């Protein structure tokens, strides 16, 4: 598992670097370095903590093979959104189309890190978290902490992370592209709740108790 974790980690670093700096045409794209820092440094820390304290959770997070046919399309669309977002951000910086002020970039970076902390808290609360939609053996409904406020706090955290990425990269054009992730995640949630209602005991009652999916008092 250690080799798999390190391989995926360094592959992610290389791919993101290529997607950002090749279109930018320069390694002076400091916003790109900022995003890579606030993304991969916390990721390495979280991976190390999971490796030591909860290797089973790390194994689940490394598994990205979706069993649900509907979710395979969601994963593909999400991947295309990310690739387009990063390439356009590099081009935006290179040709100075519409570059955000530095203070906006730094505010977005703070929001990104706060969302990362929220992400870490969700993983602490729910040891059943997986990268794929499935009902696991002996899985129970989690209804405490953040799960007592919204049914999908993980998606709340990741959506905040993804929407702040283009702003960290100083590219409002990329932000507009990334807004396409919202209907994608809504589709994923609908499918996931169908699977959980059918296979997870107590989930229907949980839905009646916790009304909001991802945003308190909104949706």
């Amino acid at each position: 598992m250690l080799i798999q974790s390190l391989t995926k980690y360094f592959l992610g670093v290389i791919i993101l670097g290529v997607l950002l700096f090749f279109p930018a045409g320069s390694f002076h794209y400091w916003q790109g370095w900022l995003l890579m820092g606030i993304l991969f440094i916390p990721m390495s820390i979280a991976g190390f903590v999971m490796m030591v304290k909860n290797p089973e959770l790390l194994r689940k997070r490394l598994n990205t093979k979706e069993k649900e046919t509907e979710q395979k399309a969601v994963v593909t669309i999400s991947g295309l959104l990310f690739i387009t977002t990063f390439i356009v951000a590099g081009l935006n910086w290179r040709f100075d189309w519409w570059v955000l002020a530095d203070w906006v970039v730094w505010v977005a970076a703070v929001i990104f890190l706060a969302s990362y902390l929220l992400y870490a808290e969700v993983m602490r609360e729910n040891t059943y978290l997986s990268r794929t939609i499935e009902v696991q053996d002996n899985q129970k409904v989690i209804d405490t902490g953040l799960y007592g406020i919204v049914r999908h706090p993980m998606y709340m955290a990741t959506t905040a992370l993804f929407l702040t990425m283009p702003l960290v990269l100083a590219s409002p054009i990329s932000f507009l592209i990334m807004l396409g992730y919202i209907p994608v995640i809504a589709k994923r949630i609908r499918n996931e709740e169908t699977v959980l209602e059918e296979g997870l005991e107590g989930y229907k009652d949980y839905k009646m108790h916790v009304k909001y999916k991802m945003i308190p008092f909104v949706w």
Side-chain angles (χ1 to χ4, degrees):
M1 187 167 60
L2 176 61
I3 299 300
Q4 183 185 8
S5 301
L6 291 175
T7 299
K8 287 196 171 186
Y9 179 83
F10 287 112
L11 188 60
V13 172
I14 293 170
I15 291 174
L16 182 55
V18 170
L19 290 175
L20 289 175
F21 297 111
F22 185 77
S26 172
F27 288 114
H28 295 296
Y29 182 22
W30 67 268
Q31 294 94 334
W33 289 112
L34 175 62
L35 177 64
M36 293 187 70
I38 61 177
L39 175 62
F40 289 112
I41 293 175
M43 186 183 295
S44 64
I45 296 172
F48 177 77
V49 171
M50 282 191 287
M51 179 73 72
V52 173
K53 293 191 173 183
N54 196 340
E56 179 61 21
L57 178 58
L58 178 59
R59 184 192 63 78
K60 294 174 187 175
R61 300 304 297 170
L62 289 172
N63 178 27
T64 58
K65 294 182 179 179
E66 288 286 355
K67 299 177 182 178
E68 296 289 321
T69 302
E70 187 174 343
Q71 292 308 318
K72 292 178 181 178
V74 168
V75 170
T76 300
I77 294 170
S78 299
L80 292 173
L81 274 173
F82 278 99
I83 291 171
T84 305
T85 293
F86 295 139
I87 291 175
V88 170
L91 293 172
N92 182 69
W93 184 85
R94 182 175 187 171
F95 297 109
D96 198 23
W97 290 333
W98 186 10
V99 179
L100 294 172
D102 290 356
W103 70 267
V104 178
V105 172
W106 289 110
V107 169
V110 171
I111 297 173
F112 181 93
L113 290 172
S115 302
Y116 226 133
L117 289 175
L118 182 64
Y119 180 94
E121 173 60 18
V122 175
M123 288 198 295
R124 187 193 67 81
E125 291 179 356
N126 187 358
T127 58
Y128 298 106
L129 281 173
S130 173
R131 291 285 293 275
T132 61
I133 292 179
E134 61 181 351
V135 176
Q136 302 167 36
D137 294 338
N138 302 316
Q139 183 171 344
K140 298 178 181 179
V141 173
I142 305 297
D143 59 1
T144 56
L146 293 169
Y147 285 89
I149 301 172
V150 294
R151 300 199 295 269
H152 301 279
M154 174 61 77
Y155 294 142
M156 177 175 65
T158 54
T159 300
L161 285 168
F162 297 159
L163 291 179
T164 51
M165 280 182 180
L167 302 180
V168 173
L169 294 171
S171 177
I173 302 173
S174 293
F175 176 77
L176 295 175
I177 295 171
M178 188 57 82
L179 287 176
Y181 182 75
I182 295 175
V184 171
I185 197 63
K187 180 179 178 66
R188 181 177 178 87
I189 287 174
R190 283 196 300 271
N191 179 239
E192 180 169 330
E193 294 204 327
T194 298
V195 172
L196 293 175
E197 284 179 11
E198 294 175 353
L200 182 58
E201 183 179 354
Y203 194 78
K204 289 183 179 179
D205 292 335
Y206 170 67
K207 283 184 66 177
M208 294 178 64
H209 176 64
V210 179
K211 302 292 185 181
Y212 302 103
K213 295 180 181 179
M214 204 170 73
I215 306 175
F217 308 109
V218 178
W219 180 68

